[in-house]
Amino acid sequence: MSAFFDFIWTVLKSAVNMINGASYWMVLSLIVAGCLHEFLTPEALQKSNLGTTKVTGVLWATLTGMLIPICSCGSIPLGIGLYHSGAYLGPTLAFMTSSPMINPIAIILCYGLLGPEIATVYVITGFVAPMIIGIVANRFAGNELYLKRDENGPKRIQLEMEKPSVPRRILMGLQWSFSELALMIGKYTVLGMLTAALIFSLFPQTAIQRYLGDPSFISLLGITVIAAVMYVCAVGHIPFIAAIVASGAAPGVAITFLMAGAATNISELITINRTIGKRAMLMYFGLVVLISNFVGYLTNQIFPDFVPVLNYDAVSHSISAANSMMHNGPDWLKYVCTCILIGYALYAGFCALRGRARRRDAETA
């Protein structure tokens, strides 16, 4: 029995560490998402092409995501916030793909730790993949193409003098973000972290690294599945995959791992499935898997005699440059943000249980 409780304690500690690594960015993203929801109306998004099926909207969302250095969990509030503000599915998924997949900091690290060849493929794929996903999503989406609003609801004519002040609008946006949006995604994020922690308690990361280091034991598809299960940050896991490649793995392993792992994780997939729809989640996950495997295979064919980068001066310079650009909160703030996310998850779970109890009481009455 003690061994079981030790295992549960290990899983919980691992989950808290994962949440702690993402919580700061998630809370920061909730703040930004609230402001976007209040200031970006559906009409404004249509003018910027995010509220239409035009390719330019997907392009704008892709480029914007590429310039924002946040992890996949941080892109969840921003992406869902854009969708609820009136953005179409294509730009939403393009942003949620490019934002965690590639950013200026990750490019610097990739160039220094993996070399110019892999870095070039990484940049090209980081732009092309979100574009493809966004265009396909706009073309083949059903009812989830955009969030329909109640056209028959009461509308109040608002005079220009009645328009709320900027501070008031920011407050209204934060109220929406930290009530509806936080409750909507908090439970799925924490559930995803718990699931990932359970998997990695059963299969330690050292064992996975051993199998990834020898591509004869596992295919690119297997690497994709592992990367999707892991909580992978495009910046934090570049040193990890660089060690894998240095130990003898093919260069395509790095591309597939970084693309599939950074753009997909359990928390993100659960959130897309529950807040947008299963078809959107399957399109997103399926295209990421297909593109990352194809590019990984193509990379292996283009660079059959790839030599890992072992220039420690270049590596040190790249890490130093990336650290100077990287913004991260203090440890105490991360723990505060972690408590906030866990609190939202517990409250959302309590609300769900209370709702089920009320429905059960109504059925038996």
Side-chain angles (χ1 to χ4, degrees):
M1 185 62 69
S2 61
F4 173 76
F5 284 112
D6 288 342
F7 175 76
I8 296 298
W9 178 243
T10 301
V11 172
L12 291 176
K13 285 197 301 182
S14 179
V16 169
N17 288 334
M18 289 183 182
I19 298 172
N20 204 44
S23 60
Y24 171 76
W25 286 107
M26 286 202 66
V27 172
L28 184 62
S29 297
L30 283 170
I31 296 173
V32 177
C35 295
L36 290 177
H37 182 266
E38 185 60 32
F39 287 94
L40 291 183
T41 62
E43 293 76 18
L45 287 174
Q46 286 179 357
K47 291 180 181 179
S48 66
N49 294 325
L50 286 184
T52 66
T53 56
K54 293 181 180 179
V55 177
T56 50
V58 177
L59 174 63
W60 188 90
T62 299
L63 293 176
T64 303
M66 292 176 67
L67 296 176
I68 301 178
I70 58 175
C71 65
S72 55
C73 285
S75 69
I76 293 174
L78 289 179
I80 302 300
L82 280 174
Y83 184 71
H84 278 259
S85 298
Y88 272 38
L89 182 63
T92 298
L93 294 187
F95 176 83
M96 295 181 73
T97 306
S98 65
S99 179
M101 185 179 286
I102 191 168
N103 59 67
I105 301 173
I107 293 173
I108 292 174
L109 278 178
C110 188
Y111 185 89
L113 299 179
L114 292 168
E117 298 93 344
I118 294 182
T120 301
V121 176
Y122 178 59
V123 172
I124 294 173
T125 309
F127 171 75
V128 174
M131 288 293 298
I132 294 175
I133 291 172
I135 293 171
V136 171
N138 274 342
R139 174 65 179 82
F140 294 101
N143 294 331
E144 70 278 0
L145 179 61
Y146 63 95
L147 189 64
K148 295 179 175 60
R149 301 177 184 272
D150 186 7
E151 298 293 339
N152 299 320
K155 296 181 180 179
R156 184 174 72 91
I157 299 176
Q158 190 178 62
L159 301 177
E160 186 67 27
M161 66 177 63
E162 296 176 332
K163 189 174 183 179
S165 63
V166 172
R168 173 62 180 166
R169 295 180 71 184
I170 293 176
L171 185 62
M172 292 167 60
L174 293 179
Q175 183 179 1
W176 171 83
S177 182
F178 282 93
S179 57
E180 296 183 29
L181 183 60
L183 281 176
M184 187 189 309
I185 66 174
K187 55 185 175 182
Y188 302 129
T189 300
V190 173
L191 177 62
M193 295 293 189
L194 283 171
T195 304
L198 177 62
I199 292 172
F200 275 94
S201 296
L202 295 172
F203 305 99
Q205 194 168 13
T206 53
I208 293 176
Q209 180 172 351
R210 184 171 64 253
Y211 287 113
L212 286 178
D214 190 348
S216 64
F217 285 98
I218 191 167
S219 64
L220 289 174
L221 181 60
I223 294 168
T224 306
V225 174
I226 292 174
V229 170
M230 293 177 66
Y231 169 62
V232 176
C233 172
V235 174
H237 275 72
I238 289 179
F240 169 77
I241 197 61
I244 298 296
V245 174
S247 68
V253 169
I255 293 296
T256 301
F257 183 84
L258 289 175
M259 293 294 164
T264 60
N265 60 58
I266 294 177
S267 298
E268 189 171 22
L269 297 177
I270 292 176
T271 304
I272 294 175
N273 179 51
R274 301 297 294 180
T275 59
I276 300 179
K278 183 180 293 185
R279 176 164 42 188
M281 185 273 291
L282 291 176
M283 279 195 298
Y284 176 81
F285 181 66
L287 286 171
V288 169
V289 170
L290 180 64
I291 294 171
S292 62
N293 276 267
F294 173 76
V295 175
Y297 176 80
L298 194 62
T299 302
N300 287 339
Q301 302 305 309
I302 296 175
F303 306 112
D305 301 319
F306 178 79
V307 178
V309 175
L310 293 176
N311 186 339
Y312 292 104
D313 291 335
V315 169
S316 176
H317 177 73
S318 298
I319 294 177
S320 176
N323 286 335
S324 66
M325 297 174 61
M326 197 176 300
H327 170 66
N328 217 341
D331 290 340
W332 67 267
L333 185 57
K334 292 180 182 179
Y335 284 110
V336 171
C337 294
T338 297
C339 292
I340 291 174
L341 288 183
I342 293 177
Y344 272 113
L346 293 175
Y347 182 69
F350 169 75
C351 292
L353 291 175
R354 184 175 58 182
R356 289 183 181 180
R358 288 177 177 176
R359 287 193 298 268
R360 185 171 58 250
D361 293 341
E363 291 174 355
T364 57

